[in-house]
Amino acid sequence: MTRKFTFTNFFRSWLFVLISLSAIPPLPATGANVSVRAQPSHLVNGSPVLFVVKSVARLQSLKGKWLNHEFPFSFDEKSKIWFALAGISLETAPGSYSLELTGEKNTSSEPHREVTFIRKFSIGRGKYPKIKVNLTVENKFTEPTPEQTKQIEEGQQVKKDYLNRVTPEREWEGQFAAPAEAAISDVFASERIFNNKTSSPHLGLDFRVPSGTPVEAMNDGTVLLARPLYFEGNFVVIDHGQGLLTLYLHLSEFKVKEGDQVKRGQVIGLSGGTGRATGPHLHVAVRWQGTYLDPAKLIALRLP
Ligand SMILES: [Zn+2]
């Protein structure tokens, strides 16, 4: 049977050619129509980093890979940008590092087409104090008895179990606020020596506050820990989602319990001098996917 030449048959054969052509795998996307920015503009070790992506093509989702960490981006409907908070560990050496972005795009031929693009960012050396501070604390912190060593090990296990958590949902929104209005008494990454024995880098930020000062949540989140630990004293940890945690140490009193939802500015406890502290003060720390970051740099970021 011969096919009669009709317009319908002609159209069908061309439709077949078109479908076959569109089935050819697409060329790797170059990401030329994508702009990627980082804040702060000068990246250093120990710093948090906000990545902002603007894409001409409408993406369904976007994820990033950076310094062996993976993280999702959020879309801000108002400014039409994709954003994500990430970090750079204190141990990261200066150099050029790749941010690998994978977006999901809906096209008429493929509903979930993945596009991958890479941007390089240069990381410099952070300006951290080189001073060594000698501090005097109770002997139980530098020469623990076997019973105290057991408590120290229990604390280490709790930190191992909780402080590397990455919950998928983002709870933080907008700026991170200082947990207290007070002068800074010790900055991030200074080197402390306790009783001329134990050396320990300062992986947080100290606020000079007397005992009993209200301590506020730096952003919205869920209370992951609210319990006493050997070195930390009364210890509160807030999970802000996507691997970002804030830690509050040496408290005299808890105002929240584990599992509570908190809002930025909510009082979570009162400051004190519990645990390994030379006196009353507030020590706060920031962790992103298991890495300590400089809290002062997080507070300074302008966030969507
Ligand atoms: Zn401290």
Side-chain angles (χ1 to χ4, degrees), residues 278-295:
T278 50
H281 73 283
L282 171 65
H283 173 108
V284 295
V286 170
R287 264 171 96 88
W288 176 71
Q289 294 199 7
T291 293
Y292 281 105
L293 304 176
D294 184 353

Side-chain angles (χ1 to χ4, degrees), residues 35-53 66 71 73 76 79 81-88 99 119-123 172 174-176 244 288 293-304:
S35 91
V36 187
R37 283 184 299 118
Q39 193 203 137
S41 51
H42 177 57
L43 301 181
V44 297
N45 59 320
S47 178
V49 48
L50 177 78
F51 288 116
V52 174
V53 176
W66 164 253
F71 52 93
F73 278 73
D76 181 32
S79 51
I81 56 156
W82 289 91
F83 64 93
L85 257 181
I88 304 159
L99 169 69
R119 289 289 186 277
K120 292 261 185 193
F121 286 93
S122 141
I123 296 175
W172 67 266
Q175 293 291 124
F176 277 73
L244 196 73
W288 176 71
L293 304 176
D294 184 353
K297 290 187 173 69
L298 179 66
I299 294 166
L301 283 184
R302 284 167 289 112
L303 300 175

Side-chain angles (χ1 to χ4, degrees), residues 186 192 202 204-206 250 281-284:
D186 194 8
R192 290 104 30 96
H202 190 234
L205 183 66
D206 286 353
H250 313 308
H281 73 283
L282 171 65
H283 173 108
V284 295

